Amino acid sequence: QVQLVESGGGLVQPGGSLRLSCVASRFTLDYYSIGWFRQAPGKEREGVSYISSSDGSRYYADSVKGRFFISRDNAKNTVYLQMNSLKPEDSAVYLCATGPPLGGNSWNREYKYNYWGQGTQVTVSS
């Protein structure tokens, strides 16, 4: 059974950093594009970042550009989301998902993705 597991969340002060990991099991992650999404209580799920399997293209939500960075280590079957200069509004459950190669206009559409992890909680608070 295909499985994605996120980790690395936690409580951090504003301005701090976290690195989230998305580890795949029972399949090879390098053939898949990966999206990171987040969902805060009472809000819709939103796309945060994406990395393509085909050409390594990366996309980011405007709200995280310049602060978050997505990368992948195929040898470890892992995709990372480095989050810097965190703000209270970044607090949410962060989920990773597998999808096909997508362009800049569609990477953040949930229905494009098939397998999802359970998520990891990120709380930014003083």
Side-chain angles (χ1 to χ4, degrees):
Q1 182 177 354
V2 170
Q3 189 175 20
L4 293 171
V5 179
E6 303 93 338
S7 64
L11 174 64
V12 64
Q13 292 187 342
S17 297
L18 286 173
R19 188 178 77 161
L20 305 184
S21 299
C22 172
V23 180
S25 61
R26 297 186 176 88
F27 70 101
T28 303
L29 196 59
D30 44 334
Y31 296 124
Y32 292 84
S33 300
I34 297 294
W36 279 98
F37 289 76
R38 66 186 181 187
Q39 187 161 22
K43 294 187 177 181
E44 292 187 356
R45 188 173 295 181
E46 65 170 337
V48 176
S49 186
Y50 166 91
I51 186 165
S52 171
S53 61
S54 60
D55 61 4
S57 297
R58 296 177 171 91
Y59 300 110
Y60 299 92
D62 288 343
S63 59
V64 308
K65 278 181 182 176
R67 300 188 297 122
F68 289 14
F69 182 75
I70 191 169
S71 63
R72 65 195 306 157
D73 185 339
N74 290 338
K76 296 183 177 180
N77 225 25
T78 302
V79 170
Y80 301 100
L81 184 68
Q82 178 67 43
M83 306 188 298
N84 302 321
S85 302
L86 283 162
K87 305 175 181 179
E89 51 264 42
D90 294 318
S91 298
V93 174
Y94 283 71
L95 308 99
C96 63
T98 62
L102 298 169
N105 293 326
S106 60
W107 68 269
N108 56 351
R109 299 180 183 174
E110 289 182 63
Y111 66 88
K112 296 284 188 180
Y113 294 81
N114 37 36
Y115 298 109
W116 291 78
Q118 294 299 309
T120 183
Q121 176 70 48
V122 171
T123 302
V124 185
S125 175
S126 55

